[in-house]
Amino acid sequence: MRPPSNRVVELKIPSELGYEKIAREAVAMVARRLDFEEDKIDDIKTAISEACTNAIRYGSGGDSRMKVVVVLTADDTKLDILIKDPGISGDPPIGVSIPDIAGMVMGEERMGGMGLFLIRNLVDEAGFVEVDEEDDDEGNQFRMVIYRIQDDDEDEDEE
Amino acid sequence: MSDEIQVSVRTFDQATVIDLMGDVTTFAEEAINQAYQSISSDGASNIVFNFRENDYINSAGIAILIGIVTEARKRDQKLLMTGLSAHFQKIFRMVGLTQYADLHPSVDDALSALNNNGS
């Protein structure tokens, strides 16, 4: 049972670690309705968990009185995920570096920075959205897109 | 909201196994580190972290494991990891954790590998 085009699911979760699991389960249900393969669904679940965790931890300082909003927009070709947080920690990070695990193990690098790295490697598109200052939605918005159908023909043409 | 992790320890001739059942997130840090410190104090040299296949592991959980890798290097301990789903095997490779811990499908496989290596 595939949904018709442009079905939208909107969640509002407390900004408290652990609630990202609700977004994780919800996105899995939506992705299954879109016939995503199970390994892709696992990727999406990890990506949304990390994005929501960042929104909770940094975007709203773990203040459970605040909310993180997750908007899942599904159509025949892709799943579009928008995560909004209050943005109390200021501007979101720019650029993602590969985590230096060796440096962390040697105690030369601070632990962390893996969430955004994982997201960028697990979804097709990911990044912070520039929010119009006149927009009612203040704060940070992080968008991820995952395509249901890989364009194999295009890949073959490129070879 | 988090499924509290249950950590238990089993001792074999070849290794000490830490069984992890539940979410491996920031909430699991104390329990995992306590188990690790306890068996290290008892002289464990080969340590197997045995995950339950469908449990949730996030980047904070991976950071806990990197912390243990750091400690294990100082103590000259060998780390092995078992029970991970194909997805989390991929994630562990992606972040480079597999440079420091061998992955095996099951505890039995890990113990056999230790036997074969004469560890």
Side-chain angles (χ1 to χ4, degrees):
Chain A
M1 183 175 63
R2 291 260 308 280
S5 293
N6 287 327
R7 282 283 176 89
V8 178
V9 175
E10 188 166 327
L11 301 171
K12 196 177 278 190
I13 59 173
S15 185
E16 184 177 326
L17 286 175
Y19 279 92
E20 76 277 7
K21 289 178 71 179
I22 291 177
R24 178 180 160 84
E25 295 308 317
V27 79
M29 288 182 70
V30 171
R32 281 198 186 96
R33 286 170 62 87
L34 277 171
D35 286 344
F36 275 96
E37 292 179 359
E38 281 301 318
D39 60 342
K40 198 69 173 168
I41 293 173
D42 284 336
D43 291 349
I44 297 168
K45 286 169 73 176
T46 290
I48 200 168
S49 298
E50 295 299 332
C52 286
T53 297
N54 285 345
I56 290 168
R57 181 169 280 168
Y58 306 113
S60 44
D63 183 344
S64 61
R65 293 168 298 180
M66 297 187 182
K67 303 289 181 197
V68 170
V69 177
V70 180
V71 184
L72 310 173
T73 306
D75 67 28
D76 288 340
T77 60
K78 67 183 185 297
L79 179 58
D80 194 311
I81 302 170
L82 189 66
I83 293 161
K84 304 178 187 179
D85 66 53
I88 65 165
S89 301
D91 292 335
I94 298 170
V96 177
S97 54
I98 297 170
D100 180 5
I101 298 285
M104 292 179 204
V105 168
M106 299 301 286
E108 295 164 355
E109 289 287 326
R110 122 189 133 73
M111 205 75 83
M114 277 175 288
L116 273 176
F117 170 78
L118 287 177
I119 292 168
R120 293 264 160 84
N121 279 280
L122 293 172
V123 303
D124 296 310
E125 296 172 22
F128 286 95
V129 177
E130 204 162 312
V131 181
D132 193 331
E133 285 185 7
E134 293 174 6
D135 199 323
D136 289 339
D137 287 325
E138 292 179 353
N140 298 324
Q141 295 189 14
F142 187 78
R143 181 169 179 251
M144 300 183 284
V145 181
I146 308 96
Y147 293 94
R148 188 174 68 82
I149 302 162
Q150 297 294 327
D151 196 344
D152 293 332
D153 293 341
E154 192 175 283
D155 292 343
E156 283 168 13
D157 289 345
E158 287 173 359
E159 287 174 0
Chain B
M1 274 307 293
S2 181
D3 287 343
E4 197 168 323
I5 194 163
Q6 292 179 30
V7 180
S8 56
V9 172
R10 292 181 284 159
T11 306
F12 295 84
D13 290 341
Q14 308 93 321
T16 306
V17 177
I18 298 178
D19 292 300
L20 305 174
M21 287 174 289
D23 296 345
V24 183
T25 67
T26 191
F27 298 111
E29 185 167 12
E30 194 178 335
I32 293 174
N33 281 333
Q34 265 183 8
Y36 169 72
Q37 294 297 344
S38 171
I39 64 166
S40 294
S41 299
D42 291 342
S45 55
N46 295 326
I47 300 172
V48 179
F49 280 89
N50 182 36
F51 297 85
R52 198 167 56 177
E53 187 170 337
N54 293 317
D55 283 335
Y56 167 42
I57 306 171
N58 69 5
S59 58
I62 293 170
I64 296 168
L65 298 173
I66 292 171
I68 286 173
V69 164
T70 305
E71 286 285 315
R73 281 189 77 253
K74 290 177 190 164
R75 297 173 195 252
D76 203 21
Q77 295 164 319
K78 183 175 178 61
L79 293 183
L80 303 92
M81 296 188 186
T82 62
L84 290 163
S85 66
H87 174 69
F88 283 111
Q89 288 180 38
K90 178 174 80 175
I91 296 288
F92 279 31
R93 286 193 184 94
M94 202 177 270
V95 299
L97 204 46
T98 48
Q99 294 171 50
Y100 304 99
D102 296 339
L103 303 188
H104 296 276
S106 68
V107 170
D108 285 347
D109 290 318
L111 297 178
S112 296
L114 288 169
N115 269 341
N116 294 338
N117 290 341
S119 298

